Amino acid sequence: MSSTADLGLLTDMHLDVDGQQADTGLPDASGPIDTVCPSIGDPPPIGECRVSSGAENRLVITGTVLTANGVLENGSVYSVDGQIACVGCDCSRSLGYGDASRVDCGRAIISPGLINPHDHLTFSEGAPIDHGETRYDHRHEWRRALSTPSNSHGTNAESSGNRWGELRMLFSGVTSYVGSGSATGLIRNLDRLEDIERTLGFRQVTFQTFSLGDANRRFKPNCQWDYRYDEFEASQFSAFIPHVAEGIDDYAQEEFRCQSTSFDGGQDFTEKNAAHIHSIALHAVDFWTMVQEQAKLIWSPRSNVSLYGTTAEVQIFHRFGGTIALGTDWTYSGSANMLRELVCASDWNQTYLNGYFSDRQLWLMATLNGAVATNNDHLIGSLTEGKLADITVFASGSDSPYRSIIEADNDDVWMVLKAGRPIYGRAALVEPLRACEQVDVCGQGYSICAQDEFGTPFSAIAADVATGKPAYPALFCGGGPADEPTCVPSRPGEFTGQPSDMDQDGDGQTDPIDNCPQVFNPVLPYKQGLQGDSDGDGIGDACDGSPLADDLDGDAVSNADDNCPLVPNPEQADTDTDSKGDPCDFCPERPNPIGVCLPAPGQMATIESIQREEISEGTRVSVTNAVVTGVWGRGVWVQQGAGAYSGIGVFTGDSDDQPSIGDVVTVDAEVQDYYGDTQLSDAVIIPQDESMEPQVTTVSLADALDESYEGVLVFVNDAVLGETSYDCGVDNDNCSDEGLWTLSSPSTEPDRLLVFDRIYAGGDWAERVGTAPLTGVLTYRFDQRRIMPRGPSDFQAR
């Protein structure tokens, strides 16, 4: 694409997409609805933008907007304090831009920032591996045969190695990333969240390469794996992204079987919070099972094809209604960046899937679907009012804005903004809004904000990774890398991936015997020497609009009505009435309508008995009639009554279903001492359908410093707030918490409470410094007692 092409504006408002939640994979029911908004003033010349600087916290971008319902030309995207306030024909008519900064690119394509949910950042420096025509049956084969060293220039969050890998993604328009590692600053690392991102409401992803515990490459039959988690632990993750079924043999198929059932030694990781990476060796019924459980799929076609000669039959999963996100995997066998992964997905779609996916659906795989797969679509993935203004501006080189992004090169990425603030782009666009470093991109002047974001200039990072064994380039001009891994399927002696008159799809099956002559579906080991045809109708699963029989288990109850669709249950027995039939319910006497079985209830206990250490650490307990007193992203505090020993913290991990202050709940959890703070962990919180105002205990500062009040909601009546921030590193070298200040009293000097913002709800935290009185929940962290106000009302007299 030409770097001087004109720009267009592209968004996707996070509404139902063609009447579906996110992108369910169903073909578009109707074509896009095109709307041409009235022009506002004279548009800039083609290929140029007009930029005017104004208020730093307000930005309006105008151009051609792609919404969920179609193209919106001459539209506007307006953000305030990093959050999208309006998407429409002319946001100024309803909100007014005032002194906002403006970027007017006429027909620019403005997309949500790309999201890469699968990479290995600490292995991102290496160049692609040339393994010739060799193809593998399972990942453990190439792990034995190929050398894949970690970054030679460092693998920690401040290393040049990690930073270089993230810069490569940023240069392709990526704003959020799951990389099994991080570089502090710049791109948002969804599996290594920073405190500010947790405050914004992001949910941390749990990324796992060896969820079976088989890093030692040893196969264990009958699902007797050394699982990294049990299924209940995995169900508590906000988003769980494991590698599953990476290969084409029975071992790979067994990986999925053992991670999709609770029976026969399995651990069911195929749940609504899961997004499986790869999923190559799956049958149609496996894809259907994933969709029934609302699990997502992360597709890395280039790496799959390069290593195994083929990739997952994603169109089957998509046809059932599954959500697919694209990920690059790594440089050794995958795509150098997300734009190259889009090219591979598009080529695969056109050549081997008979054009099954639309360009729009491919684009969704790189934006909204990545947000859905990571359970962060409430904040990112689409340009929608209320979400963060993560935006990438692309040059327009095609009549289709989606096609322009799919075909984009590095120099077609014109600007990248994270939460409304530019972090990279053409100097003419970035510099009027933010002063950053200059860098040459394919002969064009660009700006990169590495010094501000990383604390290290780009030039220093580039110089460092050029020493010793140089890192793989971060930029590619005029197309993809010369040594790019292949996206053309082949396995020596089996198929070449080259279409011919006798084999239209190149899958090694000549058209007269091919049950999908126009859709690639080779015979592979996990298919037992056959092309898939689950319903036996002569049409292969890969191209069959309805590949499964209506009654999979043959019990005379249709799949849609069957409470055990894969296990015969003709009487539809369901003892616990949770809509899971007894034969397929691992806990048929305890309801679990959505998800895995909950742990067996613990022994009855009170908070006081736990805090007085009358119950041993490691004991599972059940605490009833507890009132929620404080809430944060990874836990809550609860209380029974008031006074000493009445409160305790409950750790839930990243959860999108936390209770609210005042809710009365039952907590089933394990007693744990977390660095001196007694808490309940591995918790299940069950609402009791009632609420009440939590009781506040009035205490002196001396009382608040006593362990008996740990976890209790208190009002401190005799203390003074310090007016300067507190450096907690003085007390503990590992503490880097910011925004602390002290609460002290002449009677307790030098002892004091630290005031901590972990659960504060409101944007005026800094304005509260030096004000009193103070109410909050007490906790213990980094060798200091702390108090956590919950909101502005906690700074009022009682």
Side-chain angles (χ1 to χ4, degrees):
M1 294 179 63
S2 170
S3 62
T4 59
D6 62 312
L7 301 178
L9 182 68
L10 173 63
T11 73
D12 173 60
M13 300 176 69
H14 192 208
L15 306 173
D16 283 356
V17 177
D18 298 326
Q20 307 155 29
Q21 181 182 3
D23 180 39
T24 64
L26 300 178
D28 294 339
S30 60
I33 302 170
D34 292 351
T35 301
V36 179
C37 301
S39 296
I40 304 173
D42 294 329
I46 291 176
E48 296 182 12
C49 299
R50 290 197 189 103
V51 183
S52 60
S53 60
E56 187 175 314
N57 68 329
R58 294 192 292 280
L59 175 68
V60 59
I61 305 179
T62 60
T64 301
V65 181
L66 259 100
T67 71
N69 297 316
V71 178
L72 181 62
E73 295 184 11
N74 302 324
S76 301
V77 179
Y78 179 42
S79 65
V80 178
D81 293 326
Q83 190 174 55
I84 297 172
C86 177
V87 179
C89 269
D90 183 5
C91 295
S92 65
R93 293 177 182 173
S94 57
L95 297 180
Y97 296 146
D99 60 349
S101 297
R102 298 179 65 99
V103 178
D104 183 359
C105 291
R107 294 174 52 220
I109 301 172
I110 300 179
S111 169
L114 304 188
I115 299 171
N116 182 1
H118 173 212
D119 204 332
H120 297 266
L121 182 60
T122 57
F123 296 84
S124 62
E125 281 197 46
I129 298 172
D130 182 4
H131 50 85
E133 295 184 356
T134 302
R135 297 295 180 266
Y136 304 93
D137 287 357
H138 192 270
R139 64 175 169 172
H140 291 330
E141 291 183 352
W142 63 255
R143 289 183 64 226
R144 292 187 183 96
L146 304 177
S147 175
T148 56
S150 59
N151 297 340
S152 60
H153 295 91
T155 58
N156 65 49
E158 297 182 352
S159 68
S160 295
N162 279 18
R163 286 171 171 171
W164 192 249
E166 289 210 354
L167 286 163
R168 188 186 296 121
M169 289 300 155
L170 173 65
F171 293 158
S172 69
V174 172
T175 54
S176 291
Y177 187 61
V178 177
S180 190
S182 68
T184 303
L186 209 62
I187 288 178
R188 187 175 290 111
N189 299 109
L190 299 176
D191 58 332
R192 298 287 194 279
L193 292 178
E194 298 180 26
D195 286 345
I196 182 61
E197 291 158 349
R198 294 184 188 279
T199 301
L200 289 170
F202 278 95
R203 299 160 181 160
Q204 183 154 308
V205 171
T206 300
F207 179 92
Q208 181 53 244
T209 305
F210 300 105
S211 50
L212 291 173
D214 63 335
N216 58 10
R217 309 186 188 104
R218 294 176 182 171
F219 178 81
K220 294 193 175 183
N222 304 316
C223 297
Q224 298 303 303
W225 304 100
D226 300 317
Y227 297 97
R228 294 298 300 270
Y229 316 102
D230 63 43
E231 61 185 32
F232 176 71
E233 286 179 292
S235 73
Q236 299 302 293
F237 299 141
S238 179
F240 182 39
I241 299 184
H243 290 57
V244 178
E246 186 181 349
I248 60 166
D249 58 7
D250 290 338
Y251 186 150
Q253 223 295 312
E254 181 79 344
E255 287 183 44
F256 176 78
R257 186 183 76 82
C258 293
Q259 294 178 88
S260 60
T261 180
S262 302
F263 291 88
D264 302 323
Q267 293 292 325
D268 188 357
F269 301 151
T270 307
E271 296 294 336
K272 66 177 182 178
N273 70 329
H276 289 186
I277 296 172
H278 297 307
S279 298
I280 304 171
L282 268 63
H283 302 292
V285 68
D286 300 327
F287 287 126
W288 181 80
T289 297
M290 286 181 65
V291 173
Q292 299 308 299
E293 298 296 337
Q294 303 176 47
K296 293 80 179 174
L297 187 151
I298 296 175
W299 186 31
S300 297
R302 189 181 302 278
S303 185
N304 295 163
V305 171
S306 170
L307 292 171
Y308 311 110
T310 188
T311 188
E313 294 181 311
V314 289
Q315 76 279 12
I316 300 176
F317 180 72
H318 193 265
R319 185 175 284 118
F320 287 134
T323 296
I324 302 168
L326 272 179
T328 57
D329 200 345
W330 60 357
T331 54
Y332 285 125
S333 60
S335 292
N337 59 47
M338 278 294 285
L339 294 178
R340 298 309 302 167
E341 194 68 19
L342 270 169
V343 167
C344 178
S346 176
D347 289 349
W348 185 268
N349 178 57
Q350 293 301 318
T351 306
Y352 302 109
L353 299 184
N354 198 28
Y356 174 83
F357 295 107
S358 69
D359 287 346
R360 174 181 167 278
Q361 289 169 331
L362 292 170
W363 168 77
L364 283 168
M365 293 180 192
T367 53
L368 177 60
N369 292 3
V372 172
T374 60
N375 198 17
N376 280 297
D377 53 310
H378 61 301
L379 290 177
I380 56 174
S382 62
L383 302 183
T384 305
E385 293 177 14
K387 292 192 181 183
L388 294 178
D390 282 11
I391 297 172
T392 300
V393 180
F394 290 93
S396 176
S398 170
D399 291 338
S400 162
Y402 304 115
R403 177 54 44 181
S404 293
I405 295 174
I406 292 168
E407 296 178 349
D409 288 334
N410 275 139
D411 58 343
D412 296 310
V413 177
W414 278 48
M415 185 163 66
V416 180
L417 304 98
K418 184 175 75 171
R421 194 174 191 214
I423 54 176
Y424 167 72
R426 292 211 165 186
L429 298 182
V430 174
E431 288 300 318
L433 305 176
R434 185 181 184 188
C436 295
E437 306 154 64
Q438 299 297 300
V439 62
D440 181 275
V441 175
C442 304
Q444 301 288 334
Y446 273 68
S447 291
I448 172 70
C449 304
Q451 177 66 62
D452 283 357
E453 297 286 329
F454 283 151
T456 304
F458 174 78
S459 58
I461 300 170
D464 189 16
V465 299
T467 61
K469 183 178 181 180
Y472 197 52
L475 283 164
F476 304 93
C477 303
D483 54 356
E484 185 171 60
T486 185
C487 200
V488 176
S490 68
R491 288 182 63 84
E494 299 175 41
F495 52 82
T496 66
Q498 301 296 329
S500 67
D501 290 341
M502 291 299 293
D503 182 8
Q504 295 179 65
D505 55 16
D507 63 3
Q509 304 297 304
T510 58
D511 290 351
I513 63 170
D514 193 338
N515 61 16
C516 283
Q518 294 181 311
V519 175
F520 186 83
N521 64 333
V523 172
L524 296 168
Y526 79 93
K527 294 183 179 181
Q528 309 304 315
L530 301 172
Q531 289 181 300
D533 180 14
S534 299
D535 58 5
D537 63 358
I539 302 173
D541 294 339
C543 59
D544 193 337
S546 53
L548 298 181
D550 292 335
D551 180 13
L552 287 168
D553 58 8
D555 63 2
V557 182
S558 68
N559 299 331
D561 299 324
D562 199 336
N563 61 16
C564 269
L566 302 180
V567 182
N569 187 24
E571 303 301 323
Q572 296 294 284
D574 181 14
T575 300
D576 56 12
T577 66
D578 62 359
S579 298
K580 289 184 179 181
D582 289 352
C584 60
D585 190 343
F586 198 61
C587 47
E589 296 183 353
R590 282 184 285 142
N592 60 320
I594 299 176
V596 301
C597 297
L598 301 180
Q603 72 177 59
M604 297 298 295
T606 64
I607 293 174
E608 181 174 356
S609 65
I610 297 167
Q611 290 287 27
R612 286 185 179 276
E613 300 182 1
E614 296 171 3
I615 295 177
S616 301
E617 184 178 356
T619 303
R620 193 156 193 94
V621 296
S622 184
V623 177
T624 62
N625 298 316
V627 181
V628 177
T629 58
V631 179
W632 69 298
R634 312 194 76 197
V636 302
W637 280 262
V638 297
Q639 192 167 296
Q640 289 175 319
Y645 303 111
S646 65
I648 196 168
V650 182
F651 182 77
T652 61
D654 292 296
S655 174
D656 55 355
D657 191 26
Q658 301 284 41
S660 300
I661 291 174
D663 286 352
V664 180
V665 298
T666 293
V667 179
D668 199 277
E670 183 178 299
V671 177
Q672 183 184 71
D673 183 278
Y674 185 75
Y675 296 102
D677 181 24
T678 303
Q679 66 177 24
L680 300 176
S681 64
D682 291 336
V684 178
I685 298 178
I686 305 168
Q688 294 185 195
D689 297 325
E690 60 178 307
S691 62
M692 65 176 63
E693 186 71 21
Q695 295 184 54
V696 180
T697 301
T698 299
V699 297
S700 66
L701 184 59
D703 290 336
L705 292 169
D706 190 89
E707 185 177 3
S708 62
Y709 287 93
E710 179 183 286
V712 178
L713 178 63
V714 302
F715 169 59
V716 182
N717 64 0
D718 67 342
V720 177
L721 280 166
E723 296 183 358
T724 58
S725 61
Y726 182 78
D727 179 7
C728 66
V730 172
D731 305 308
N732 188 305
D733 291 340
N734 294 317
C735 184
S736 59
D737 294 336
E738 298 179 351
L740 300 173
W741 73 92
T742 60
L743 186 70
S744 59
S745 171
S747 65
T748 64
E749 290 287 0
D751 294 330
R752 70 274 179 186
L753 278 174
L754 297 187
V755 186
F756 187 29
D757 68 348
R758 168 156 284 176
I759 61 177
Y760 190 79
D764 61 347
W765 174 256
E767 299 171 15
R768 299 289 172 181
V769 175
T771 61
L774 187 63
T775 298
V777 181
L778 295 172
T779 190
Y780 185 75
R781 177 174 168 84
F782 287 118
D783 306 322
Q784 287 282 348
R785 299 285 168 195
R786 299 187 179 192
I787 185 168
M788 300 176 293
R790 302 162 301 165
S793 62
D794 279 348
F795 289 86
Q796 299 172 6
R798 291 186 174 272

